[in-house]
PDB file of all heavy atoms in Angstrom:
ATOM      1  N   PHE Q1064      -3.823 -12.459 -14.490  1.00 98.00           N
ATOM      2  CA  PHE Q1064      -4.458 -11.821 -15.626  1.00 98.00           C
ATOM      3  C   PHE Q1064      -5.366 -12.843 -16.253  1.00 98.00           C
ATOM      4  O   PHE Q1064      -5.154 -14.058 -16.329  1.00 98.00           O
ATOM      5  CB  PHE Q1064      -3.529 -11.345 -16.544  1.00 98.00           C
ATOM      6  CG  PHE Q1064      -3.032  -9.954 -16.120  1.00 98.00           C
ATOM      7  CD1 PHE Q1064      -1.843  -9.838 -15.303  1.00 98.00           C
ATOM      8  CD2 PHE Q1064      -3.489  -8.720 -16.452  1.00 98.00           C
ATOM      9  CE1 PHE Q1064      -1.276  -8.791 -14.861  1.00 98.00           C
ATOM     10  CE2 PHE Q1064      -2.929  -7.559 -15.977  1.00 98.00           C
ATOM     11  CZ  PHE Q1064      -1.689  -7.496 -15.189  1.00 98.00           C
ATOM     12  N   SER Q1065      -6.518 -12.323 -16.738  1.00 98.00           N
ATOM     13  CA  SER Q1065      -7.401 -13.087 -17.611  1.00 98.00           C
ATOM     14  C   SER Q1065      -6.882 -12.871 -18.983  1.00 98.00           C
ATOM     15  O   SER Q1065      -6.210 -11.801 -19.290  1.00 98.00           O
ATOM     16  CB  SER Q1065      -8.839 -12.562 -17.496  1.00 98.00           C
ATOM     17  OG  SER Q1065      -9.613 -12.916 -18.547  1.00 98.00           O
ATOM     18  N   ASP Q1066      -7.287 -13.800 -19.952  1.00 98.00           N
ATOM     19  CA  ASP Q1066      -7.108 -13.592 -21.356  1.00 98.00           C
ATOM     20  C   ASP Q1066      -8.135 -12.846 -22.144  1.00 98.00           C
ATOM     21  O   ASP Q1066      -8.189 -12.835 -23.281  1.00 98.00           O
ATOM     22  CB  ASP Q1066      -6.644 -14.910 -21.969  1.00 98.00           C
ATOM     23  CG  ASP Q1066      -7.731 -15.989 -21.951  1.00 98.00           C
ATOM     24  OD1 ASP Q1066      -8.852 -15.650 -21.324  1.00 98.00           O
ATOM     25  OD2 ASP Q1066      -7.650 -17.148 -22.358  1.00 98.00           O
ATOM     26  N   ARG Q1067      -9.127 -12.347 -21.408  1.00 98.00           N
ATOM     27  CA  ARG Q1067     -10.324 -11.709 -22.091  1.00 98.00           C
ATOM     28  C   ARG Q1067      -9.734 -10.467 -22.891  1.00 98.00           C
ATOM     29  O   ARG Q1067      -8.899  -9.797 -22.517  1.00 98.00           O
ATOM     30  CB  ARG Q1067     -11.114 -11.079 -20.839  1.00 98.00           C
ATOM     31  CG  ARG Q1067     -12.032 -12.094 -20.226  1.00 98.00           C
ATOM     32  CD  ARG Q1067     -12.621 -11.348 -18.967  1.00 98.00           C
ATOM     33  NE  ARG Q1067     -13.629 -10.237 -19.551  1.00 98.00           N
ATOM     34  CZ  ARG Q1067     -14.071  -9.388 -18.675  1.00 98.00           C
ATOM     35  NH1 ARG Q1067     -13.852  -9.362 -17.422  1.00 98.00           N
ATOM     36  NH2 ARG Q1067     -14.894  -8.478 -19.190  1.00 98.00           N
ATOM     37  N   PRO Q1068     -10.216 -10.363 -24.050  1.00 98.00           N
ATOM     38  CA  PRO Q1068      -9.812  -9.342 -25.071  1.00 98.00           C
ATOM     39  C   PRO Q1068     -10.145  -7.982 -24.342  1.00 98.00           C
ATOM     40  O   PRO Q1068     -11.141  -7.776 -23.710  1.00 98.00           O
ATOM     41  CB  PRO Q1068     -10.529  -9.666 -26.227  1.00 98.00           C
ATOM     42  CG  PRO Q1068     -10.965 -10.911 -26.174  1.00 98.00           C
ATOM     43  CD  PRO Q1068     -11.296 -11.281 -24.741  1.00 98.00           C
ATOM     44  N   VAL Q1069      -9.282  -7.060 -24.773  1.00 98.00           N
ATOM     45  CA  VAL Q1069      -9.497  -5.530 -24.351  1.00 98.00           C
ATOM     46  C   VAL Q1069      -9.478  -4.829 -25.653  1.00 98.00           C
ATOM     47  O   VAL Q1069      -8.486  -4.929 -26.397  1.00 98.00           O
ATOM     48  CB  VAL Q1069      -8.350  -5.122 -23.416  1.00 98.00           C
ATOM     49  CG1 VAL Q1069      -8.565  -3.576 -23.169  1.00 98.00           C
ATOM     50  CG2 VAL Q1069      -8.546  -5.813 -21.982  1.00 98.00           C
ATOM     51  N   PRO Q1070     -10.479  -3.962 -26.003  1.00 98.00           N
ATOM     52  CA  PRO Q1070     -10.404  -3.166 -27.348  1.00 98.00           C
ATOM     53  C   PRO Q1070      -9.129  -2.435 -27.379  1.00 98.00           C
ATOM     54  O   PRO Q1070      -8.723  -1.736 -26.458  1.00 98.00           O
ATOM     55  CB  PRO Q1070     -11.627  -2.467 -27.206  1.00 98.00           C
ATOM     56  CG  PRO Q1070     -12.466  -3.097 -26.322  1.00 98.00           C
ATOM     57  CD  PRO Q1070     -11.603  -3.664 -25.130  1.00 98.00           C
ATOM     58  N   ARG Q1071      -8.485  -2.382 -28.573  1.00 98.00           N
ATOM     59  CA  ARG Q1071      -7.330  -1.610 -28.833  1.00 98.00           C
ATOM     60  C   ARG Q1071      -7.630  -0.006 -28.657  1.00 98.00           C
ATOM     61  O   ARG Q1071      -6.857   0.638 -28.142  1.00 98.00           O
ATOM     62  CB  ARG Q1071      -6.847  -1.833 -30.238  1.00 98.00           C
ATOM     63  CG  ARG Q1071      -5.795  -0.879 -30.706  1.00 98.00           C
ATOM     64  CD  ARG Q1071      -5.164  -1.158 -32.030  1.00 98.00           C
ATOM     65  NE  ARG Q1071      -4.278  -0.107 -32.514  1.00 98.00           N
ATOM     66  CZ  ARG Q1071      -3.539  -0.281 -33.612  1.00 98.00           C
ATOM     67  NH1 ARG Q1071      -3.482  -1.277 -34.169  1.00 98.00           N
ATOM     68  NH2 ARG Q1071      -2.841   0.801 -33.955  1.00 98.00           N
ATOM     69  N   ALA Q1072      -8.899   0.373 -29.009  1.00 98.00           N
ATOM     70  CA  ALA Q1072      -9.264   1.734 -28.854  1.00 98.00           C
ATOM     71  C   ALA Q1072      -9.055   2.140 -27.390  1.00 98.00           C
ATOM     72  O   ALA Q1072      -8.796   3.273 -27.100  1.00 98.00           O
ATOM     73  CB  ALA Q1072     -10.755   1.995 -29.277  1.00 98.00           C
ATOM     74  N   LEU Q1073      -9.397   1.265 -26.451  1.00 98.00           N
ATOM     75  CA  LEU Q1073      -9.379   1.689 -25.186  1.00 98.00           C
ATOM     76  C   LEU Q1073      -7.899   1.836 -24.647  1.00 98.00           C
ATOM     77  O   LEU Q1073      -7.531   2.921 -23.888  1.00 98.00           O
ATOM     78  CB  LEU Q1073      -9.959   0.569 -24.184  1.00 98.00           C
ATOM     79  CG  LEU Q1073     -10.029   0.737 -22.681  1.00 98.00           C
ATOM     80  CD1 LEU Q1073     -10.719   2.093 -22.293  1.00 98.00           C
ATOM     81  CD2 LEU Q1073     -10.658  -0.489 -21.958  1.00 98.00           C
ATOM     82  N   ILE Q1074      -6.926   1.035 -25.172  1.00 98.00           N
ATOM     83  CA  ILE Q1074      -5.504   1.132 -24.746  1.00 98.00           C
ATOM     84  C   ILE Q1074      -4.962   2.446 -25.462  1.00 98.00           C
ATOM     85  O   ILE Q1074      -4.305   3.201 -24.800  1.00 98.00           O
ATOM     86  CB  ILE Q1074      -4.810  -0.057 -25.436  1.00 98.00           C
ATOM     87  CG1 ILE Q1074      -5.290  -1.375 -24.833  1.00 98.00           C
ATOM     88  CG2 ILE Q1074      -3.262   0.116 -25.108  1.00 98.00           C
ATOM     89  CD1 ILE Q1074      -5.072  -1.397 -23.382  1.00 98.00           C
ATOM     90  N   GLU Q1075      -5.515   2.710 -26.635  1.00 98.00           N
ATOM     91  CA  GLU Q1075      -5.026   4.043 -27.421  1.00 98.00           C
ATOM     92  C   GLU Q1075      -5.446   5.277 -26.527  1.00 98.00           C
ATOM     93  O   GLU Q1075      -4.688   6.325 -26.431  1.00 98.00           O
ATOM     94  CB  GLU Q1075      -5.592   4.038 -28.803  1.00 98.00           C
ATOM     95  CG  GLU Q1075      -4.997   3.072 -29.692  1.00 98.00           C
ATOM     96  CD  GLU Q1075      -5.608   3.033 -31.073  1.00 98.00           C
ATOM     97  OE1 GLU Q1075      -6.646   3.841 -31.180  1.00 98.00           O
ATOM     98  OE2 GLU Q1075      -5.175   2.457 -32.054  1.00 98.00           O
ATOM     99  N   THR Q1076      -6.693   5.236 -25.888  1.00 98.00           N
ATOM    100  CA  THR Q1076      -7.180   6.323 -25.204  1.00 98.00           C
ATOM    101  C   THR Q1076      -6.351   6.528 -24.018  1.00 98.00           C
ATOM    102  O   THR Q1076      -5.928   7.712 -23.606  1.00 98.00           O
ATOM    103  CB  THR Q1076      -8.600   6.265 -24.876  1.00 98.00           C
ATOM    104  OG1 THR Q1076      -9.344   6.140 -26.087  1.00 98.00           O
ATOM    105  CG2 THR Q1076      -9.089   7.361 -24.127  1.00 98.00           C
ATOM    106  N   CYS Q1077      -6.027   5.427 -23.358  1.00 98.00           N
ATOM    107  CA  CYS Q1077      -5.160   5.567 -22.205  1.00 98.00           C
ATOM    108  C   CYS Q1077      -3.734   6.083 -22.372  1.00 98.00           C
ATOM    109  O   CYS Q1077      -3.121   6.823 -21.592  1.00 98.00           O
ATOM    110  CB  CYS Q1077      -5.123   4.195 -21.392  1.00 98.00           C
ATOM    111  SG  CYS Q1077      -6.634   3.673 -20.745  1.00 98.00           S
ATOM    112  N   ILE Q1078      -3.212   5.703 -23.626  1.00 98.00           N
ATOM    113  CA  ILE Q1078      -1.891   6.228 -23.925  1.00 98.00           C
ATOM    114  C   ILE Q1078      -1.963   7.604 -24.292  1.00 98.00           C
ATOM    115  O   ILE Q1078      -1.052   8.375 -23.991  1.00 98.00           O
ATOM    116  CB  ILE Q1078      -1.357   5.335 -25.096  1.00 98.00           C
ATOM    117  CG1 ILE Q1078      -1.038   3.952 -24.554  1.00 98.00           C
ATOM    118  CG2 ILE Q1078      -0.172   6.063 -25.683  1.00 98.00           C
ATOM    119  CD1 ILE Q1078      -0.591   3.022 -25.657  1.00 98.00           C
ATOM    120  N   ARG Q1079      -3.114   8.049 -24.895  1.00 98.00           N
ATOM    121  CA  ARG Q1079      -3.230   9.582 -25.208  1.00 98.00           C
ATOM    122  C   ARG Q1079      -3.208  10.389 -23.916  1.00 98.00           C
ATOM    123  O   ARG Q1079      -2.618  11.354 -23.741  1.00 98.00           O
ATOM    124  CB  ARG Q1079      -4.434   9.780 -25.885  1.00 98.00           C
ATOM    125  CG  ARG Q1079      -4.443   9.356 -27.396  1.00 98.00           C
ATOM    126  CD  ARG Q1079      -5.602   9.917 -28.181  1.00 98.00           C
ATOM    127  NE  ARG Q1079      -5.534   9.415 -29.573  1.00 98.00           N
ATOM    128  CZ  ARG Q1079      -6.354   8.457 -29.997  1.00 98.00           C
ATOM    129  NH1 ARG Q1079      -7.096   7.828 -29.215  1.00 98.00           N
ATOM    130  NH2 ARG Q1079      -6.275   8.177 -31.355  1.00 98.00           N
ATOM    131  N   ALA Q1080      -3.850   9.790 -22.823  1.00 98.00           N
ATOM    132  CA  ALA Q1080      -3.814  10.405 -21.520  1.00 98.00           C
ATOM    133  C   ALA Q1080      -2.335  10.454 -20.901  1.00 98.00           C
ATOM    134  O   ALA Q1080      -2.024  11.516 -20.467  1.00 98.00           O
ATOM    135  CB  ALA Q1080      -4.737   9.554 -20.609  1.00 98.00           C
ATOM    136  N   ALA Q1081      -1.657   9.256 -21.143  1.00 98.00           N
ATOM    137  CA  ALA Q1081      -0.254   9.303 -20.728  1.00 98.00           C
ATOM    138  C   ALA Q1081       0.544  10.370 -21.352  1.00 98.00           C
ATOM    139  O   ALA Q1081       1.460  11.021 -20.823  1.00 98.00           O
ATOM    140  CB  ALA Q1081       0.334   8.078 -20.833  1.00 98.00           C
ATOM    141  N   GLY Q1082       0.270  10.644 -22.579  1.00 96.00           N
ATOM    142  CA  GLY Q1082       1.028  11.597 -23.313  1.00 96.00           C
ATOM    143  C   GLY Q1082       0.743  13.117 -23.081  1.00 96.00           C
ATOM    144  O   GLY Q1082       1.418  13.960 -23.601  1.00 96.00           O
ATOM    145  N   THR Q1083      -0.174  13.273 -22.133  1.00 97.00           N
ATOM    146  CA  THR Q1083      -0.409  14.557 -21.550  1.00 97.00           C
ATOM    147  C   THR Q1083       0.530  14.949 -20.390  1.00 97.00           C
ATOM    148  O   THR Q1083       0.383  16.128 -19.937  1.00 97.00           O
ATOM    149  CB  THR Q1083      -1.854  14.826 -21.222  1.00 97.00           C
ATOM    150  OG1 THR Q1083      -2.016  14.128 -20.040  1.00 97.00           O
ATOM    151  CG2 THR Q1083      -2.786  14.544 -22.368  1.00 97.00           C
ATOM    152  N   ALA Q1084       1.373  14.105 -19.943  1.00 97.00           N
ATOM    153  CA  ALA Q1084       2.158  14.281 -18.775  1.00 97.00           C
ATOM    154  C   ALA Q1084       3.194  15.323 -18.946  1.00 97.00           C
ATOM    155  O   ALA Q1084       3.648  15.728 -20.027  1.00 97.00           O
ATOM    156  CB  ALA Q1084       2.800  12.979 -18.453  1.00 97.00           C
ATOM    157  N   PRO Q1085       3.558  16.037 -17.870  1.00 97.00           N
ATOM    158  CA  PRO Q1085       4.514  17.198 -17.907  1.00 97.00           C
ATOM    159  C   PRO Q1085       5.824  16.441 -18.158  1.00 97.00           C
ATOM    160  O   PRO Q1085       6.053  15.334 -17.874  1.00 97.00           O
ATOM    161  CB  PRO Q1085       4.355  17.776 -16.596  1.00 97.00           C
ATOM    162  CG  PRO Q1085       3.850  16.789 -15.705  1.00 97.00           C
ATOM    163  CD  PRO Q1085       2.834  15.926 -16.485  1.00 97.00           C
TER     164      PRO Q1085
END
Side-chain angles (χ1 to χ4, degrees):
F1064 282 84
S1065 167
D1066 62 358
R1067 288 172 57 194
V1069 172
R1071 172 174 165 169
L1073 181 56
I1074 301 300
E1075 290 178 353
T1076 299
C1077 292
I1078 289 176
R1079 288 193 181 100
T1083 69

